[in-house]
Amino acid sequence: MSDVRIRAAEPADAAALCELMTRTFRETYRSDLFGICDPADVEAYVAEHFGEPRQTAELVDSAMRTLMAEVDGTLAGYAQLRFDHATPCATGARPVELARFYVDRPWHGRGVAQSLIRACIAAAPDADPLWLGVFEHNARARAFYTRCGFVPVGRATFRMGDDVQADWILALNPR
């Protein structure tokens, strides 16, 4: 495999980013993985959050930063950081949320996630803390974040369509 290239997404990337967001979200939450995600709820979330106009707006929002991981020109993953975004269970002076972090299935286990998480940490050097929410049933993601140094600091709810789910809140270097 060639080296992973991480770069900041630009508005011209919105369409490609939307396609990756939609695919990776559907794959992550498909009902055969966790047995509890209703496809209608997944589709409602996709429709609300992953449209091109919304992504274009997020890409120009100064409070957000989207990073794209590419291998040989192929989009392999992405992450979105939301600056100055706090949660009650991860307090600090400069909270940064790792709001989305997805790697396309063909790239799992090939170093893309590690490169992308390092880039996220580097993009938020003053984060106090860098935090994220992860679906309580996603053991693979929880294990990855733990290996990267994130620790549980609380719990929160996540709404997907009509389904209210439980997330773990994890933070890097929490207070």
Side-chain angles (χ1 to χ4, degrees):
M1 178 174 88
S2 299
D3 290 336
V4 178
R5 178 178 175 247
I6 308 293
R7 67 175 180 86
E10 301 173 355
D13 296 313
L17 187 59
C18 288
E19 191 276 324
L20 179 65
M21 290 175 146
T22 299
R23 184 175 61 255
T24 56
F25 193 84
R26 285 176 176 150
E27 288 175 352
T28 298
Y29 291 98
R30 66 181 200 231
S31 58
D32 62 318
L33 285 180
F34 305 119
I36 58 173
C37 298
D38 183 325
D41 289 327
V42 172
E43 292 308 312
Y45 190 88
V46 165
E48 182 178 350
H49 295 279
F50 298 145
E52 194 170 336
R54 179 157 180 173
Q55 289 316 303
T56 300
E58 288 182 359
L59 289 171
V60 298
D61 183 344
S62 62
M64 293 188 75
R65 183 159 187 206
T66 301
L67 301 176
M68 297 172 57
E70 298 174 331
V71 180
D72 294 331
T74 299
L75 188 54
Y78 77 97
Q80 289 185 310
L81 297 163
R82 189 173 292 138
F83 293 88
D84 295 320
H85 193 255
T87 180
C89 46
T91 59
R94 292 171 310 283
V96 177
E97 179 187 12
L98 180 50
R100 296 186 180 120
F101 188 95
Y102 290 88
V103 173
D104 206 359
R105 192 164 302 278
W107 300 102
H108 284 191
R110 299 176 67 185
V112 173
Q114 290 80 6
S115 294
L116 190 55
I117 197 76
R118 283 192 300 271
C120 289
I121 293 167
D126 297 328
D128 178 24
L130 178 61
W131 67 275
L132 58 92
V134 61
F135 186 35
E136 68 180 348
H137 295 290
N138 193 340
R140 180 184 176 105
R142 288 193 342 261
F144 170 75
Y145 294 127
T146 298
R147 286 191 307 276
C148 294
F150 287 82
V151 297
V153 294
R155 305 208 19 117
T157 57
F158 175 79
R159 183 171 208 83
M160 183 187 329
D162 291 330
D163 186 23
V164 178
Q165 300 176 349
D167 276 1
W168 288 15
I169 302 300
L170 308 178
L172 187 64
N173 303 320
R175 291 181 174 210

